[in-house]
Amino acid sequence: MPALNADEVMEPLTRDDDGSDPARTWRGRFTEVRLDSGRPLLGHAWAMEFERVRPRSGLLRHLESLPWPFPESVQVLIHDEDDECFGLWMMHDGKLAEISLPRTRRIHQPAPPTDEFPPAPGYLLRTDTGRPLPEQTRPERRDPRPAW
């Protein structure tokens, strides 16, 4: 996740969650990405890995709420376990929006029968592999809850 001059904003997100921030519904912590030389990658990049589906809900909403010095530089790259490549979210009008990438398509499955199941983001597939794509679920049958 690159973001210019965001060390101060990101610092609390590099610590384990102690439960004191009610806006932080997701679990985990970011790690600064560094080169072999020990210098920060691009001077401003962080990474995190989720081990389970449930602790990720609310991540994008929380990132949107932070006081970024340069919001236009915030880029969130997400690779879910079923994705064939990273998805990209960027700030647009104060919200993180997924950017359509050439030769990719996000495939959604029908919404779960109850809210007991976590929301699913769908999965990002490449369209240039020559393989047929699965059938896309109609928008009204998709889960409206944000997965991230």
Side-chain angles (χ1 to χ4, degrees):
M1 185 185 128
L4 285 173
N5 299 330
D7 292 337
E8 189 175 311
V9 174
M10 287 299 295
E11 194 282 326
L13 306 183
T14 63
R15 290 183 263 136
D16 287 322
D17 179 33
D18 62 6
S20 64
D21 184 354
R24 191 167 165 177
T25 58
W26 55 277
R27 299 291 171 254
R29 62 183 170 93
F30 284 89
T31 302
E32 187 174 28
V33 179
R34 295 187 164 271
L35 300 170
D36 288 341
S37 66
R39 292 192 338 245
L41 177 68
L42 306 173
H44 50 267
W46 294 265
M48 177 174 46
E49 181 178 4
F50 289 104
E51 294 180 19
R52 301 274 185 265
V53 172
R54 291 184 190 275
R56 69 183 183 195
S57 292
L59 172 65
L60 295 180
R61 186 173 39 244
H62 188 211
L63 294 174
E64 290 168 350
S65 74
L66 298 175
W68 300 103
F70 298 98
E72 67 279 5
S73 74
V74 175
Q75 299 176 33
V76 181
L77 297 158
I78 298 176
H79 188 288
D80 207 19
E81 63 184 280
D82 294 325
D83 292 342
E84 292 183 344
C85 60
F86 281 89
L88 171 65
W89 281 256
M90 294 176 68
M91 249 348 148
H92 286 277
D93 300 323
K95 300 286 183 195
L96 282 163
E98 186 171 15
I99 306 303
S100 295
L101 300 175
R103 298 184 175 101
T104 66
R105 184 171 300 146
R106 184 164 296 282
I107 303 294
H108 297 274
Q109 296 186 347
T114 68
D115 284 352
E116 125 186 38
F117 299 97
Y123 48 99
L124 193 58
L125 297 181
R126 294 192 57 128
T127 61
D128 58 355
T129 63
R131 292 183 316 244
L133 293 175
E135 188 175 322
Q136 180 66 277
T137 300
R138 293 189 319 270
E140 65 273 10
R141 295 197 57 223
R142 298 177 194 168
D143 194 337
R145 299 173 298 158
W148 299 103

